[in-house]
Every structure is written in C-alpha cells, then in structure tokens.
C-alpha cells in the first residue's frame, strides 16, 4: 500500500475526487417533509390603482351632480320667466290664483338654490378646493336636494287641477303658458330628484357613517 505522506515528500499533490454536481431542480422533497410553495409576489401599485378608481368615481359623481343641477337651474328659470310673464288681463293673470303664485315662488327659490350650488361647484371644480368639509357638504347636498325636489313637485302638482279645469272651458295663451310652466317645474323636479339620489349615494360612502 502506498503511504499518502510519500506524495508530499515527492511534491506530487494528493488526488482529490471531482466535485459531485447536484441537480437542485430535479430534487424532490423528502417524504414527510415540508414543501415550501412559491407564492406570487404582490402586484405593485394595487393600492394606487384602487385610489385612482375611487378618485375617478368621485369625480364622475361630482360632474353628474353638476350637470343635473344645471338642468334644474335651466328649467326652474324657464318656469319662473313663463309664469311671471303670464299676465293677459282680467281673469288671465297668474297672480289672481294661489296655485300659480305658489308655483312662481318655488320656481324663484329653486333658481336661487341651484345658482348657488352651481357657483360653488364651479369654484370647486376649477380650484380643486372644498368650501365646506366633506361631512357638511354631503349632508347639505342630500337634504337640500331632497327638500327642493319635494317643493318643486308640490308646486307643480298643486297647479295641475286648476289648469285642467281652465282648459276645459277656455284653452288660450294663458292656460298654455300655465301648462308650460308646470311642465318646466316637473322637469326641474326630476333633475333634483336624481341629484338627491346621487347625493344620498355619496353620503352613504362617507367613512364616518
């Protein structure tokens, strides 16, 4: 047998076994062992995507309310102008009837209310600043829109029976103008009613509720 020390003495290096290549990919976990499952890494930007979607939804709701209130403003103004100019002498004057005076008063109130809201929203959309806090703004929009929608419907409904009775006997410019003003207030009511629904949805999404 050869002595390993003789290699050192003669200057010849001791032969070593070649490294054994291990195929780590082909290895399987031992039976009964715990196998580590590779999980997909979390998608980067998921939180930012949700924030952007929420921002887009809130921006769409703001623009939707703005459009509805512009419609309510336009038709309330038309109802006010038509009824205020509906004076043709004798019994054909609107101010001789309580129903028409009430309709005119609500048309004026709706016009002023929607003008105020439209101006506030124009300022908010142009400057990206809130005049009121989100909490106060949500409550004011919801209850204000609901109240105004109720008043518009009440005024238009109260004037319908009187106009129908008049048109049975005398269908003239006075009754036609009255019917037009009533129709304008009904359209304004529909716009304010939808705006109240949107305001209620915005109110329900507030975090403090």
């Amino acid at each position: 047998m050869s002595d390993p020390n003789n290699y050192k003495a003669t200057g010849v290096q001791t032969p070593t076994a070649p490294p054994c290549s291990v195929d780590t990919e082909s290895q399987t976990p031992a039976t009964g062992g715990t196998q580590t499952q590779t999980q997909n890494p979390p998608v980067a930007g998921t939180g930012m995507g949700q924030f952007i979607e929420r921002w887009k939804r809130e921006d769409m709701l703001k623009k939707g309310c703005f459009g509805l209130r512009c419609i309510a403003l336009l038709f309330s103004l038309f109802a006010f102008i038509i009824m205020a100019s509906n004076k043709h002498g004798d019994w054909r004057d609107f101010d001789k009837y309580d129903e028409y005076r009430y309709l005119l008063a609500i048309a004026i109130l709706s016009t002023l209310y929607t003008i105020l809201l439209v101006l506030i929203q124009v300022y908010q959309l142009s400057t990206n600043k809130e005049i009121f806090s989100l909490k106060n703004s949500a409550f004011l929009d919801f209850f204000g829109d609901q109240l105004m929608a109720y008043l518009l419907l009440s005024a238009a409904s109260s004037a319908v029976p009187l106009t129908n009775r008049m048109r049975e006997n005398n269908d003239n410019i006075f009754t036609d103008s009255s019917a037009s003003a009533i129709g304008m207030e009904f359209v304004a009511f529909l716009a304010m009613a939808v705006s109240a629904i949107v305001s209620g949805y915005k109110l329900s999404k507030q975090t403090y509720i």
Side-chain angles (χ1 to χ4, degrees):
M1 293 178 63
S2 59
D3 188 0
N5 294 329
N6 293 335
Y7 288 100
K8 296 179 181 180
T10 57
V12 180
Q13 294 181 353
T14 303
T16 58
C20 181
S21 61
V22 179
D23 189 0
T24 58
E25 296 181 355
S26 62
Q27 288 184 347
T28 58
T31 305
T34 304
Q35 182 177 359
T36 304
Q37 296 181 354
T38 305
Q39 297 180 352
N40 294 327
V43 180
T46 301
M48 181 60 70
Q50 293 177 351
F51 173 78
I52 292 174
E53 288 298 325
R54 181 180 177 184
W55 180 81
K56 287 182 178 179
R57 184 170 60 250
E58 291 179 353
D59 186 62
M60 182 181 66
L61 289 176
K62 285 182 180 179
K63 291 180 179 179
C65 281
F66 178 74
L68 289 169
R69 285 163 180 168
C70 285
I71 294 173
L73 169 60
L74 185 64
F75 283 92
S76 297
L77 183 61
F78 283 162
F80 160 63
I81 294 173
I82 292 172
M83 186 54 72
S85 60
N86 197 17
K87 302 184 72 172
H88 306 282
D90 198 13
W91 60 273
R92 296 178 301 176
D93 288 344
F94 81 90
D95 54 1
K96 292 183 179 180
Y97 305 95
D98 293 336
E99 294 87 348
Y100 291 156
R101 289 200 300 267
Y102 178 47
L103 187 143
L104 179 65
I106 298 304
I108 295 173
L109 184 61
S110 177
T111 301
L112 295 176
Y113 173 77
T114 49
I115 283 177
L116 178 62
L117 290 182
V118 167
L119 290 177
I120 290 175
Q121 286 193 287
V122 167
Y123 173 80
Q124 290 176 345
L125 291 173
S126 59
T127 62
N128 236 2
K129 296 179 181 179
E130 298 288 340
I131 296 179
F132 305 104
S133 65
L134 292 178
K135 178 179 178 180
N136 293 333
S137 179
F139 273 108
L140 289 174
D141 288 347
F142 177 63
F143 291 108
D145 290 351
Q146 269 199 328
L147 177 61
M148 191 52 57
Y150 168 77
L151 291 175
L152 285 167
L153 180 62
S154 172
S157 300
S158 66
V160 168
L162 174 63
T163 305
N164 287 337
R165 288 196 303 268
M166 288 183 176
R167 298 189 77 173
E168 290 176 359
N169 301 321
N170 296 283
D171 192 1
N172 49 40
I173 188 172
F174 177 72
T175 55
D176 290 342
S177 298
S178 301
S180 298
I182 293 170
M184 298 294 176
E185 287 217 359
F186 268 122
V187 176
F189 153 73
L190 291 175
M192 291 307 302
V194 177
S195 180
I197 293 173
V198 176
S199 300
Y201 174 78
K202 289 167 58 180
L203 183 63
S204 67
K205 291 300 180 181
Q206 295 299 316
T207 56
Y208 52 82
I209 295 181

